[in-house]
């Protein structure tokens, strides 16, 4: 189980609560993300999955509870510490959030230009390498609006990975993409994680495909996180909410007794 | 009754909060100007956008403002038989009042609205969040170059407006109505003092700061707008609000600076 994992805790949410006006979105949410693992948060739309992600990124502060990243409480740390923490982050936003008035090349080069002292020559080398890794050679001079949704996601991924981050957040990385484009994103994720060995936090509802990539799966339902367990345990969980979610998204688990008896009856 | 009090209280809190946000935004932006690292190219790009691209509009409006001042001034002064004061009247009105105010209003319409919409769209499409997540300070990256460019460019644009306006006045007074060049420019020379030029420059500096501050802050805090400022309509509403607020503020501060410096 997650608690027994010896790997270092990178992100820890403890009793996080958040309301927007009178609407409570998160209630007593606790989660640990460990170094080098892939944690997936699943759940129906509008359950507050992205809100959890925004808390981890320090874009939102909890009403109650704590969010600790690398041991720092994000609500209490200085702006400088928050900036230092974020230097080891890479984020792929749900709507990609590319800078639409910049070319693809400039989008990927921006973190390097703003955060490092590399020369333009070194920047070009790194950017071109990342673009090639994403299969985007020759598209650097185009603007984000001139390429397809799948390519925009790949540009977003290239930008997120350009500084070799320690933690990468993916907010619905395959939403709006067809099956082959989704598979392409998963393949790139798999390849880049193997190469860069980053910790990944993925918010998704692309079940069951996402299970293959994950070390831990948590379900966001009824304002709470239900379990955070390996995908096999998740699929066999007794928790009625998890069970309901698994049945709804994957269909009933194959059981020879029920399946075959039905088969015989129709014969 | 209780609802009315609650609404009033909520509105008051909201107003104070917005004012606080805007105030803090200005302080952080001004601190960003003085604090290293200093990046030249973003400022040059903004000078080009706010300044160079506004040049034609400023010259055009300057010319016609001067011409109408020449026309009205000649008509009024000729009633008192003192057309010799035309140069002084035109240049004083332009240097002290019309130059800084009209130039600022033109820049608000042309560049201020664009800056507000640009920052607002970036806020709406999570581009500002993306900057923050990349550990790039959005105020430093987006706002500081605009603010510095606004402060540098407005006095220059105002000066151009004034000079062209004064020649516009001469075009009408001198060429159309026959006031001699000597009398027009001597009138200007004898009535305009350094304090008049100074007042115009101070005004233009303040207006430059004011217009960039208000327009970018409105865009930056788009999500705090009433109704959330969502979508294209949210951006358009906020941009209109920014242009109105910036224009009104310019006129209010015009009065205040005049009252202080007179």
């Amino acid at each position: 189980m997650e608690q027994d994992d010896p790997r270092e805790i990178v992100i820890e949410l403890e009793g996080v609560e958040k309301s927007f006006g009178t609407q409570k979105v998160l209630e007593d949410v606790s989660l640990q993300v460990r170094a080098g693992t892939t944690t997936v948060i699943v759940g129906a739309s509008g359950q507050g999955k992205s809100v959890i992600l925004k808390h981890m990124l320090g874009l939102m502060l909890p009403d109650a509870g704590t969010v600790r990243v690398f041991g720092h409480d994000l609500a209490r740390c200085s702006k400088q510490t928050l900036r230092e923490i974020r230097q080891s982050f890479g984020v792929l936003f749900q709507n990609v959030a590319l800078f639409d008035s910049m070319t693809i090349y400039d989008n990927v080069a921006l973190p390097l230009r703003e955060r490092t002292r590399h020369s333009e020559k070194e920047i070009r080398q790194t950017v071109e390498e990342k673009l090639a890794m994403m299969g985007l050679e020759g598209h650097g001079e185009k603007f984000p609006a001139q390429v397809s949704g799948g390519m925009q996601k790949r540009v977003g991924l290239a930008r997120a990975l350009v500084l070799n981050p320690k933690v990468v957040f993916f907010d619905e990385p395959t939403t709006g993409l067809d099956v082959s484009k989704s598979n392409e994103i998963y393949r790139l994720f798999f390849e880049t994680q193997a190469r860069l060995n980053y910790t990944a936090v993925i918010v998704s509802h692309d079940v069951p495909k996402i299970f293959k990539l994950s070390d831990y799966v948590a379900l966001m339902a009824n304002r709470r996180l239900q379990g955070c367990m390996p995908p096999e345990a998740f699929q066999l969980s007794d928790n009625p909410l998890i069970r309901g979610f698994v049945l709804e998204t994957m269909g009933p688990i194959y059981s020879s007794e029920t399946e075959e008896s039905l088969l015989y009856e129709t014969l | 009754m209780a609802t009315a009090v609650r609404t009033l209280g909520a509105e008051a809190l909201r107003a104070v909060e917005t004012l606080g946000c805007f105030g803090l935004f200005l302080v952080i932006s001004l601190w960003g100007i003085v604090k290293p690292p200093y990046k030249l190219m973003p400022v040059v790009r903004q000078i080009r956008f706010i300044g160079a691209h506004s040049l034609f509009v400023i010259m055009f409006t300057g010319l016609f403002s001067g011409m109408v001042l020449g026309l009205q001034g000649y008509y009024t002064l000729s009633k008192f038989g003192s057309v010799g004061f035309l140069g002084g009247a035109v240049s004083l009105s332009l240097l002290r009042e019309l130059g800084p105010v009209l130039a600022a209003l033109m820049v608000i319409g042309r560049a201020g609205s664009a800056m507000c919409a640009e920052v607002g769209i970036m806020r709406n499409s999570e581009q500002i969040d993306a900057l923050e997540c990349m550990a790039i300070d959005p105020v430093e990256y987006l706002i500081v170059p605009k603010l510095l460019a606004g402060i540098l460019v407005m006095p220059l644009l105002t000066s151009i407006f004034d000079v062209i306006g004064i020649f516009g006045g001469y075009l009408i007074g001198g060429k159309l109505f026959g006031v001699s060049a000597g009398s027009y420019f001597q009138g200007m020379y004898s009535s305009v003092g350094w304090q008049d030029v100074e007042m115009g420059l101070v005004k233009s500096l303040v207006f430059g700061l004011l217009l960039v501050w208000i327009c970018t802050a409105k865009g930056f805090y788009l999500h705090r707008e009433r109704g959330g400022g969502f979508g294209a309509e949210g951006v358009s509403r906020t941009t209109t609000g920014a242009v109105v607020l910036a224009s009104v503020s310019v006129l209010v501060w015009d009065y205040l600076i005049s009252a202080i410096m007179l």
Side-chain angles (χ1 to χ4, degrees), chain B residues 19-238:
Chain B
L19 220 62
C21 276
F22 274 45
L24 214 59
F25 180 84
L26 179 65
V27 173
I28 296 170
S29 311
L30 287 173
W31 174 237
I33 292 179
V34 278
K35 155 185 116 164
Y38 308 107
K39 293 196 172 168
L40 184 66
M41 276 325 283
V43 182
V44 171
R45 267 196 290 273
Q46 290 303 321
I47 288 178
R48 181 165 170 260
F49 174 69
I50 303 173
H53 289 180
S54 303
L55 207 57
F56 178 73
V57 177
I58 290 293
M59 286 163 72
F60 196 74
T61 41
L63 180 71
F64 276 89
S65 304
M67 280 162 66
V68 80
L69 276 178
L71 199 66
Q72 296 281 18
Y74 183 84
Y75 173 76
T76 313
L77 291 172
S78 63
K79 282 192 170 177
F80 304 104
S82 47
V83 287
F85 290 119
L86 184 66
V90 169
S91 44
L92 277 180
S93 331
L94 278 170
L95 286 168
R96 295 173 70 99
E97 284 301 324
L98 288 174
V101 172
L102 287 178
L105 293 179
M106 285 300 127
V107 174
I108 289 170
R110 210 205 64 79
S113 53
M115 284 190 279
C116 178
E118 180 195 335
V119 178
I121 289 171
M122 290 187 79
R123 166 65 73 190
N124 248 355
S125 54
E126 292 185 317
Q127 292 177 45
I128 291 182
D129 287 347
L131 281 174
E132 279 193 42
C133 291
M134 287 180 206
I136 299 169
D137 187 338
V139 173
E140 228 163 82
Y141 179 73
L142 287 173
I143 313 297
V144 169
K146 291 184 170 62
L147 197 66
L148 185 56
I151 296 171
L152 291 175
V153 144
M154 272 315 291
L156 291 172
L157 286 179
T158 305
S159 309
I160 293 168
F161 188 101
D162 292 341
V163 171
I164 296 202
I166 290 167
F167 274 98
Y170 172 67
L171 207 68
I172 296 300
K175 296 290 171 194
L176 199 67
F177 296 126
V179 178
S180 73
S183 133
Y184 184 87
F185 289 108
Q186 183 55 42
M188 178 183 86
Y189 188 70
S190 56
S191 55
V192 173
W194 169 242
Q195 72 277 11
D196 302 312
V197 180
E198 198 181 47
M199 183 190 267
L201 286 179
V202 169
K203 279 184 178 177
S204 62
L205 269 173
V206 175
F207 295 166
L209 177 84
L210 208 60
L211 76 92
V212 178
W213 170 40
I214 291 174
C215 291
T216 52
K218 287 284 271 184
F220 198 81
Y221 292 115
L222 182 86
H223 55 303
R224 301 181 64 94
E225 289 284 311
R226 208 183 299 272
F230 300 116
E233 201 188 319
V235 175
S236 81
R237 214 173 332 113
T238 307

Side-chain angles (χ1 to χ4, degrees), chain A residues 54-169:
Chain A
K54 287 192 173 171
H55 277 84
M56 291 181 182
L57 292 165
L59 292 172
M60 277 183 190
L61 294 178
D63 297 338
T66 49
V67 180
R68 271 190 290 273
V69 182
F70 301 125
H72 296 279
D73 182 350
L74 292 190
R76 301 219 171 127
C77 69
S78 67
K79 223 176 158 187
Q80 184 57 33
T81 314
L82 182 61
R83 197 176 298 174
E84 277 163 20
I85 292 172
R86 281 173 172 164
Q87 289 193 355
S88 41
F89 281 179
V91 188
L92 179 59
F93 281 86
Q94 188 169 1
N95 63 3
V96 200
L98 293 175
F99 304 111
D100 42 21
S101 50
M102 285 183 198
T103 61
I104 287 173
Y105 177 88
D106 288 334
N107 262 284
V108 182
L110 184 75
L112 292 165
R113 286 188 180 138
E114 291 296 318
R115 284 201 352 221
T116 66
R117 290 173 181 273
H118 294 177
S119 68
E120 264 312 303
K121 199 177 155 199
E122 288 167 315
I123 290 175
R124 176 160 290 277
Q125 204 178 346
T126 316
V127 173
E128 278 175 358
E129 182 195 315
K130 286 286 187 280
L131 288 178
M133 198 198 272
M134 299 296 154
L136 290 163
E137 303 101 322
H139 294 287
E141 295 314 308
K142 288 182 184 161
F143 284 91
Q146 291 174 306
V147 299
S148 70
M151 281 165 89
Q152 286 182 9
K153 292 267 184 190
R154 281 187 275 154
V155 178
L157 191 55
R159 188 179 69 177
L161 299 179
V162 76
L163 283 171
N164 299 337
K166 289 191 188 131
V167 190
V168 185
F169 299 88

Side-chain angles (χ1 to χ4, degrees), chain A residues 159-227:
Chain A
R159 188 179 69 177
L161 299 179
V162 76
L163 283 171
N164 299 337
K166 289 191 188 131
V167 190
V168 185
F169 299 88
F170 299 82
D171 193 357
E172 308 273 6
T174 55
T175 303
L177 300 183
D178 64 33
V179 180
S180 72
K181 296 284 186 325
S182 304
N183 290 343
E184 178 71 11
I185 294 288
Y186 288 134
R187 185 186 64 77
L188 287 169
F189 163 71
F190 196 72
E191 267 180 31
T192 53
Q193 197 187 29
R195 198 185 297 185
L196 305 172
N197 194 30
Y198 52 74
T199 308
V201 180
I202 307 178
V203 160
S204 176
H205 49 229
D206 198 358
V207 176
K209 228 181 272 173
I210 199 79
F211 286 168
K212 288 181 193 156
L213 303 168
S214 57
D215 295 311
Y216 294 107
V217 183
L219 172 72
M220 187 68 208
N222 289 354
R223 303 185 295 278
R224 289 166 190 268
L225 264 187
Q226 315 284 339

